Amino acid sequence: MAPLFTWWDTEAQRGTPVIVKMENPNWSISEISSLDDEEYQFPAVAPRKKGARGKNAKQVTWVLLLKAHRAAGCLTELASAVVGLASVVRRRVASGRTDSEALASPPEESPVLRSRFYSFIKVFLWLSLSLLAFEVAAYLKGWHLSAAEMRRLVLPSSFGLPDLLDFYASWITFRVDYIAPPLQFLADACIILFLVQSADRLILCLGCFWIRFKGIKPVPKSAIGDSKDLESASGDYHPMVLVQIPMCNEKEVYQQSIAAVCNLDWPRSKMLVQVLDDSNDPVTQALIREEVEKWKQNGAPILYRHRVLRDGYKAGNLKSAMNCSYVEDYEFVTIFDADFQPAPDFLKRTVPHFKDNDQLGLVQARWSFVNRTENLLTRLQNINLCFHFEVEQQVNGVFLNFFGFNGTAGVWRIKALEDSGGWMERTTVEDMDIAVRAHLNGWKFIYLNDVECQCELPESYETYRKQQHRWHSGPMQLFRLCLPDIIRSKIGFWKKSNLIFLFFLLRKLVLPFYSFTLFCIILPLTMFVPEAQLPAWVICYIPATMSLLNILPDPKSFPFIVPYLLFENTMSVTKFTAMISGLFQLGSAYEWVVTKKSGRSSEGDLISLTKEQFKQQRGSSMPNLESLVKDDFEPKKESSERKHNRIYRKELALAFLLLTAAARSLLSAQGIHFYFLLFQGISFLLVGLDLIGEQID
């Protein structure tokens, strides 16, 4: 070993002089040399270099003081951050309202289910805290033995051991024999589901890569083999198009959506705009009616409809509008929700796909979001929806000619709607319902990834939570109703399998089930029952890989990969309860809550509308959009009613549960598990205190 250390000493370099500056005025500034590694670690083996200065104890003391000073500075900053966070939490708890208090809007989930689910989490939390205290006491007493060691341990009664040790030994034996086996079985089952769902996501990404690599893009049949662009290929193809704008108490966005639709580049005689107002607020009704009249007086083919009996929510509204006698004159219908702003060439880029393609029932456009960078919540939503449109919708459209209708920014052939039974109010996902029934009747769908329609993302967690509850309870309602029809339908076996096992079970049921069960229930339990284990690749590597795949359609979101992973697991609570509510038809599974809009719009888009003139038949000049821009961007007066941030009890209970499990994992020295539980618990804590999304001062 001597030559090795001689070589080490030969290659080593002298320490670099440093200046130690201490903030205490009583300390002086000294110039010292840092210790050479070999002199510090191997003083007996490595000889001092010739001519090298010796390091005395005083210099070593100064180095240690410098390191201690830096550590103290870090601790001070950390303590300051903790105090600041505690102050925010205290203010939020003092001013917030819990999700159980009466609100102006109806509850988004069953009160019975919410109460039972919250009670289950509370019992689980208190049990975990008790087990943590018990395990810590046992660890401090030196009883941290494995189950095998406990079984081999034979203690004579003459030892006079306390009853607590006997109880601890009985607890270990009980958990090994009765808790660990079923827990490990459930964990293995969830891991299998996790792997299947991950494989499905990987296959979708490979399909998207193949589409990009081959440059696959839907082209109208009239343009196949022709070098002409889409507009020239369509020629004089201008069929009768009905445009519908369903809305309900959405006074923040009605102006911009009506303006965008009235500026669609399509012959006025071939288009009719229906504003389907379901508002129950008289002020909102008057504002929308006035806006419609303003556009009508200036030559736009538009009319206002208001239902007296507001049954069936959006589906009932669309169904009522389709029963009008003049609808028989139209061949296609386009639907835009109240916050959507189509480009003027929207119809010219979508309708030509129907020409010479009698089997085509739907053309769906992509969504884009004007407020995707507004806050962290909108950024995380943008990641999810970019993957949905770029990967899921595009791959299913290219390879299967089927996907779920997104409810807006799509063009339907009216005959396809009529053949499929029309709009039905039996679920809260009427768009998915009509898409499934049309698919069972043999109609084909086309998705256009390059045709975008601007809209808004929910900016507050409360709004987003309600939207996700509806989006995840509705598919389970629909699955119960459609399963017999799918089995009896005349479509092929593989299409039936795709509908049942991939479209419904894997992507609508399995995903929220294993996300919540695996990461929020099983993982914390394995910390208290270490005999049941989850591998590190299940906790870290595969979720990170899947999150990376989700972010690929939007590379600019890469810095948010960790918050995205944690937030998706946090949202699994809402999605799981919604899935259970819809599957078993519990409570308010059929409740429809309109997604609140903020009215954000691109100022440039509105100004461009003021500069754009009607290119087709117009009786007179268009309305004054400059005043519309001014009104939209003037600071609005705050409502006299004070708003409150919410306090979500389920999320808070799960936060403390995960943090408790993280503390327990330290006794087992499980590094990755500890960090995952710690950060996931903090994520639940932030969401439970409503510290994500739009904040209310």
Side-chain angles (χ1 to χ4, degrees):
M1 296 295 292
L4 175 62
F5 287 107
T6 302
W7 169 81
W8 184 287
D9 180 69
T10 303
E11 297 296 327
Q13 297 182 3
R14 291 186 56 187
T16 304
V18 298
I19 301 297
V20 181
K21 295 183 179 181
M22 312 301 285
E23 295 181 359
N24 192 324
N26 296 325
W27 294 344
S28 61
I29 301 178
S30 302
E31 181 176 354
I32 65 173
S33 297
S34 62
L35 285 173
D36 291 327
D37 292 340
E38 72 278 8
E39 293 181 5
Y40 181 75
Q41 296 179 3
F42 310 106
V45 181
R48 180 181 301 174
K49 293 184 294 184
K50 186 176 180 179
R53 292 188 300 172
K55 278 70 177 177
N56 54 33
K58 185 176 181 180
Q59 291 175 325
V60 175
T61 303
W62 277 110
V63 172
L64 295 177
L65 283 174
L66 175 61
K67 294 182 180 295
H69 177 71
R70 290 176 177 174
C74 293
L75 289 176
T76 302
E77 294 178 0
L78 181 62
S80 176
V82 171
V83 171
L85 178 62
S87 177
V88 172
V89 171
R90 180 183 59 80
R91 291 196 303 268
R92 178 55 49 84
V93 172
S95 62
R97 294 181 179 180
T98 64
D99 52 353
S100 62
E101 294 177 343
L103 297 172
S105 59
E108 70 274 13
E109 59 184 85
S110 165
V112 176
L113 177 63
R114 181 176 63 239
S115 177
R116 292 179 180 176
F117 190 63
Y118 176 59
S119 300
F120 168 75
I121 295 177
K122 281 199 301 183
V123 171
F124 195 23
L125 172 61
W126 286 113
L127 180 61
S128 301
L129 289 172
S130 303
L131 287 176
L132 176 63
F134 185 59
E135 292 285 353
V136 170
Y139 187 88
L140 294 177
K141 288 182 175 292
W143 298 346
H144 45 284
L145 302 175
S146 65
E149 291 172 338
M150 273 291 184
R151 292 179 184 275
R152 291 196 303 266
L153 186 61
V154 179
L155 299 173
S157 58
S158 59
F159 276 24
L161 293 173
D163 294 337
L164 185 58
L165 180 56
D166 294 336
F167 179 75
Y168 183 68
S170 301
W171 155 244
I172 292 181
T173 303
F174 177 78
R175 81 185 186 194
V176 169
D177 293 338
Y178 300 103
I179 300 180
L183 181 61
Q184 187 65 59
F185 174 80
L186 183 59
D188 294 340
C190 287
I191 290 175
I192 292 174
L193 295 176
F194 182 31
L195 293 177
V196 172
Q197 197 274 336
S198 300
D200 173 63
R201 184 145 299 192
L202 179 61
I203 292 173
L204 288 173
C205 291
L206 292 176
C208 182
F209 172 78
W210 181 258
I211 291 173
R212 285 195 173 189
F213 179 73
K214 289 292 186 179
I216 301 174
K217 180 181 177 181
V219 179
K221 287 189 174 183
S222 57
I224 295 178
D226 197 335
S227 60
K228 297 183 294 183
D229 59 12
L230 178 62
E231 184 174 350
S232 59
S234 61
D236 296 330
Y237 183 67
H238 295 104
M240 300 289 286
V241 178
L242 180 67
V243 184
Q244 297 178 330
I245 313 177
M247 55 180 63
C248 180
N249 296 324
E250 293 167 291
K251 60 183 178 182
E252 298 85 2
V253 293
Y254 73 94
Q255 285 182 310
Q256 59 201 40
S257 61
I258 293 176
V261 169
C262 287
N263 278 280
L264 287 173
D265 189 4
W266 200 255
R268 301 294 99 182
S269 60
K270 300 287 186 176
M271 182 179 76
L272 176 65
V273 179
Q274 286 182 315
V275 178
L276 311 177
D277 182 23
D278 253 8
S279 304
N280 57 4
D281 176 24
V283 176
T284 304
Q285 291 180 29
L287 290 173
I288 297 175
R289 191 189 301 270
E290 180 183 356
E291 186 70 14
V292 170
E293 288 298 323
K294 182 171 65 174
W295 281 97
K296 189 174 182 179
Q297 291 175 5
N298 287 275
I302 186 172
L303 57 85
Y304 175 88
R305 275 183 56 86
H306 179 76
R307 292 193 300 163
V308 178
L309 300 177
R310 301 168 58 250
D311 298 330
Y313 304 107
K314 180 180 176 181
N317 197 1
L318 295 173
K319 182 179 179 179
S320 174
M322 294 300 293
N323 289 331
C324 296
S325 58
Y326 54 80
V327 174
E328 298 177 356
D329 300 330
Y330 294 84
E331 188 176 356
F332 303 101
V333 57
T334 306
I335 302 170
F336 297 107
D337 282 352
D339 60 317
F340 277 71
Q341 305 167 54
D345 62 348
F346 181 88
L347 293 179
K348 285 192 172 183
R349 300 180 66 183
T350 54
V351 175
H353 288 270
F354 290 96
K355 186 178 181 181
D356 300 328
N357 194 353
D358 295 336
Q359 294 182 335
L360 182 61
L362 167 68
V363 174
Q364 173 71 58
R366 179 174 178 164
W367 300 358
S368 60
F369 310 103
V370 297
N371 61 338
R372 59 184 177 275
T373 60
E374 185 65 27
N375 54 46
L376 178 60
L377 178 61
T378 57
R379 290 180 183 273
L380 299 180
Q381 293 178 68
N382 183 62
I383 295 174
N384 254 343
L385 291 172
C386 280
F387 181 85
H388 170 69
F389 286 105
E390 181 84 15
V391 179
E392 292 180 342
Q393 297 290 77
Q394 186 171 211
V395 171
N396 289 327
V398 169
F399 294 105
L400 300 176
N401 293 124
F402 167 72
F403 47 82
F405 174 46
N406 293 117
T408 178
V411 183
W412 275 96
R413 188 188 297 272
I414 294 180
K415 187 176 186 301
L417 291 177
E418 294 173 347
D419 288 349
S420 305
W423 299 105
M424 293 186 179
E425 310 98 322
R426 56 181 183 173
T427 70
T428 59
V429 284
E430 75 294 328
D431 45 8
M432 185 182 296
D433 188 359
I434 188 62
V436 170
R437 286 185 280 118
H439 180 58
L440 295 180
N441 281 282
W443 291 97
K444 295 182 178 180
F445 302 165
I446 285 180
Y447 171 74
L448 302 178
N449 193 55
D450 58 341
V451 180
E452 297 185 358
C453 190
Q454 285 192 338
C455 61
E456 289 187 11
L457 291 167
E459 295 183 7
S460 68
Y461 177 69
E462 177 185 357
T463 304
Y464 179 63
R465 189 169 180 253
K466 292 178 179 179
Q467 181 196 69
Q468 291 300 303
H469 185 274
R470 174 166 56 86
W471 284 6
H472 286 80
S473 64
M476 290 298 97
Q477 304 171 25
L478 182 61
F479 179 64
R480 289 172 53 96
L481 298 171
C482 282
L483 183 58
D485 296 334
I486 295 174
I487 296 175
R488 292 192 302 262
S489 66
K490 297 180 181 180
I491 62 175
F493 172 79
W494 292 111
K495 289 186 177 181
K496 291 182 181 180
S497 301
N498 172 68
L499 267 179
I500 296 175
F501 296 107
L502 292 181
F503 186 77
F504 279 113
L505 292 181
L506 184 61
R507 297 168 189 166
K508 303 298 188 297
L509 188 147
V510 169
L511 180 58
F513 171 78
Y514 86 74
S515 297
F516 173 74
T517 307
L518 187 62
F519 296 110
C520 300
I521 299 297
I522 296 178
L523 178 58
L525 272 178
T526 57
M527 297 300 102
F528 298 97
V529 186
E531 292 78 17
Q533 297 181 350
L534 285 178
W537 54 267
V538 174
I539 304 301
C540 179
Y541 304 123
I542 290 188
T545 303
M546 292 301 105
S547 298
L548 181 62
L549 292 178
N550 276 24
I551 287 182
L552 285 181
D554 185 25
K556 294 182 180 179
S557 300
F558 183 78
F560 302 95
I561 183 172
V562 174
Y564 171 74
L565 172 62
L566 298 174
F567 183 69
E568 282 301 292
N569 290 334
T570 305
M571 283 303 300
S572 66
V573 182
T574 298
K575 296 176 181 179
F576 177 81
T577 54
M579 182 266 292
I580 295 297
S581 177
L583 187 62
F584 299 103
Q585 302 187 34
L586 301 176
S588 56
Y590 294 91
E591 189 68 52
W592 179 290
V593 180
V594 177
T595 303
K596 182 182 177 182
K597 312 298 190 304
S598 62
R600 297 188 187 275
S601 176
S602 170
E603 185 174 359
D605 292 339
L606 289 176
I607 293 177
S608 66
L609 286 177
T610 67
K611 298 178 180 179
E612 183 179 353
Q613 301 296 325
F614 281 116
K615 298 180 181 179
Q616 282 82 27
Q617 304 170 6
R618 286 168 174 80
S620 59
S621 62
M622 60 189 300
N624 184 12
L625 285 178
E626 293 179 356
S627 62
L628 185 153
V629 175
K630 181 179 178 182
D631 292 342
D632 273 358
F633 292 97
E634 283 183 351
K636 298 180 180 180
K637 297 181 180 180
E638 296 183 358
S639 173
S640 58
E641 181 182 358
R642 183 182 178 186
K643 297 181 180 180
H644 295 266
N645 285 96
R646 298 282 296 276
I647 304 296
Y648 300 98
R649 300 186 301 168
K650 288 201 299 283
E651 283 79 357
L652 285 179
L654 280 169
F656 293 124
L657 171 62
L658 293 171
L659 293 175
T660 302
R664 172 61 181 86
S665 70
L666 292 177
L667 302 181
S668 305
Q670 301 189 32
I672 292 181
H673 296 70
F674 165 74
Y675 289 113
F676 182 87
L677 288 167
L678 175 64
F679 290 116
Q680 191 64 68
I682 294 175
S683 175
F684 269 102
L685 181 64
L686 295 177
V687 171
L689 294 173
D690 200 7
L691 291 173
I692 185 173
E694 181 186 21
Q695 297 298 299
I696 299 173
D697 296 330

